[in-house]
């Protein structure tokens, strides 16, 4: 019997329109950190990750094989921990964010810290239950009909030796009073500075940070608008993060409210007039 053809992931079926292609808006000629990751960048990161996963007994040779075989072109693994596949997914996702926010001056970006876990308890962090919590907070704040697009991530805080699950939200519209109420909803959080808000002023730069699959961390706390340099995770933390990511699909990291995917595009729900 002929082999069944594997269904191509939706985010691989096309390419972003040129005005919304982050690879063109943050071109490869720029320095690392100011350009969208190139194919060469993704390949180098895949090689680095594979080597770390093979480097000690606490690594993961099975996941290392996925990286090696995907990089060799044996198949497209479509795993969130694969830098080459993550690059393709991010290029699609950022392109859609750029498209749906273009021309809308009432866009706010929030980073919400949801939960933290100690160095060896990363598996205690799961985005799933926070989907309902975030929807409820948006509704109670008066943002019930407002489109929200976001992405869940984990970062490691080496100084405190904790993993932090957070979500980056792009909120398109909504009254100022509702935004203030949404922020107030996190006042009782046990996490310091649980929510940070910013206006969308530089779409290519800011929207490219909404969803990442990075294995780097910033060892020094952020002060003001300046961020410390990103450093590679140690092998043990690197392996823990890769293993954590391996249990999810790319869609599991997306958060959509009053927005849904139709084919290759994300469509927004029409907002009623106030």
């Amino acid at each position: 019997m002929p082999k069944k053809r594997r269904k191509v992931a939706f985010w691989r079926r096309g390419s972003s329109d040129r005005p919304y292609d982050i690879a063109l808006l943050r071109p490869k000629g720029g320095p690392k950190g100011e350009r969208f990751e190139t194919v060469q960048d993704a390949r180098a990161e895949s090689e680095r990750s594979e080597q770390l996963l093979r480097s000690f007994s606490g690594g993961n040779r099975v996941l290392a094989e996925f990286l090696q075989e995907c990089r060799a072109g044996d198949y497209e693994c479509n795993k969130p921990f694969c830098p080459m596949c993550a690059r393709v997914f991010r290029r699609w996702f950022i392109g859609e964010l750029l498209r749906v926010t273009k021309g809308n001056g009432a866009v706010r970006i929030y980073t919400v810290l949801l939960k933290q876990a100690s160095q060896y308890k990363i598996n205690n962090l799961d985005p799933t239950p926070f989907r309902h919590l975030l929807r409820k907070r948006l509704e109670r704040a008066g943002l019930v009909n407002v489109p929200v697009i976001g992405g869940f991530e984990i970062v490691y805080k080496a100084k405190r030796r904790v993993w932090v699950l957070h979500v980056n939200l792009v909120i398109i519209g909504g009254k100022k009073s509702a935004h203030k109420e949404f922020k107030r909803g996190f006042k009782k959080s046990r996490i310091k500075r649980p929510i940070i808000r910013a206006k969308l002023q530089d779409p290519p730069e800011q929207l490219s940070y909404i969803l990442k699959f990075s294995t780097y961390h910033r060892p020094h706390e952020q002060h003001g608008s300046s961020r410390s340099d990103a450093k590679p995770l140690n092998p043990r933390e690197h392996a823990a993060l890769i293993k954590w990511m391996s249990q999810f699909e790319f869609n599991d990291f997306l958060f959509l409210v009053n927005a849904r995917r139709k084919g290759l595009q994300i469509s927004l729900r029409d907002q009623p007039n106030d």
Side-chain angles (χ1 to χ4, degrees), residues 42 46 158 187:
S46 174
K187 271 192 172 182

Side-chain angles (χ1 to χ4, degrees), residues 19-223:
Y20 311 118
D21 189 345
I22 192 64
L24 300 178
L25 294 169
R26 303 196 83 194
K28 63 183 180 180
K32 199 168 184 178
E34 295 181 17
R35 65 176 183 250
F36 181 68
E37 60 264 26
T38 65
V39 173
Q40 292 77 15
D41 291 334
R43 179 174 290 275
E45 180 60 20
S46 174
E47 291 174 351
R48 188 185 74 87
S49 184
E50 180 198 349
Q51 290 171 6
L52 285 173
L53 291 172
R54 296 185 190 275
S55 68
F56 70 113
S57 59
N60 194 308
R61 292 185 178 275
V62 173
L63 300 183
E65 287 295 326
F66 272 107
L67 294 174
Q68 191 278 323
E69 292 172 3
C70 186
R71 199 170 61 246
D74 296 345
Y75 52 75
E76 292 167 342
C77 72
N78 292 336
K79 303 292 185 183
F81 63 84
C82 171
M84 299 193 69
C85 292
R87 178 185 183 274
V88 182
F89 181 82
R90 276 175 29 83
R91 191 174 181 179
W92 166 79
F93 179 60
I94 298 166
E96 285 304 288
L97 286 175
L98 288 164
R99 185 181 62 80
V100 299
T101 57
K102 185 175 181 181
N104 193 322
V107 179
R108 299 291 183 271
I109 297 176
Y110 289 85
T111 297
V112 184
L113 308 187
L114 300 170
K115 186 178 180 180
Q116 61 186 27
S118 63
Q119 183 178 14
Y120 302 110
K121 294 186 177 180
I122 187 174
N123 289 325
N124 288 351
L125 301 177
D126 181 1
T128 306
F130 291 101
R131 295 180 183 278
H132 179 70
L133 180 145
L134 289 166
R135 286 176 183 273
K136 282 297 181 184
R137 292 279 173 89
L138 289 163
E139 289 174 7
R140 290 171 183 168
L143 296 167
V144 62
N145 295 311
V146 175
V148 181
I149 302 173
F152 292 98
E153 296 180 349
I154 275 186
V155 294
Y156 184 63
K157 299 296 184 180
K159 193 172 182 179
R160 293 183 284 126
R161 295 184 180 180
V162 296
W163 298 96
V164 181
L165 175 68
H166 69 272
V167 65
N168 296 313
L169 302 175
V170 179
I171 301 183
I172 307 171
K175 294 180 179 178
K176 287 184 178 180
S177 58
H179 281 268
K180 288 180 180 178
E181 189 63 30
F182 181 64
K183 284 190 70 176
R184 277 196 291 266
F186 294 90
K187 271 192 172 182
K188 294 182 180 179
S189 172
R190 296 179 180 179
I191 301 176
K192 185 179 178 181
R193 294 186 69 200
I195 185 166
I196 301 171
R197 188 180 76 167
K199 291 183 179 180
L200 181 61
Q201 296 176 319
D202 186 340
E205 179 181 4
Q206 290 173 275
L207 296 179
S208 67
Y209 282 94
I210 297 302
L211 181 54
K212 307 177 297 299
F213 301 92
S214 174
T215 56
Y216 286 72
H217 73 115
R218 298 182 187 276
H220 303 292
E221 297 292 334
Q222 180 173 337
H223 298 285

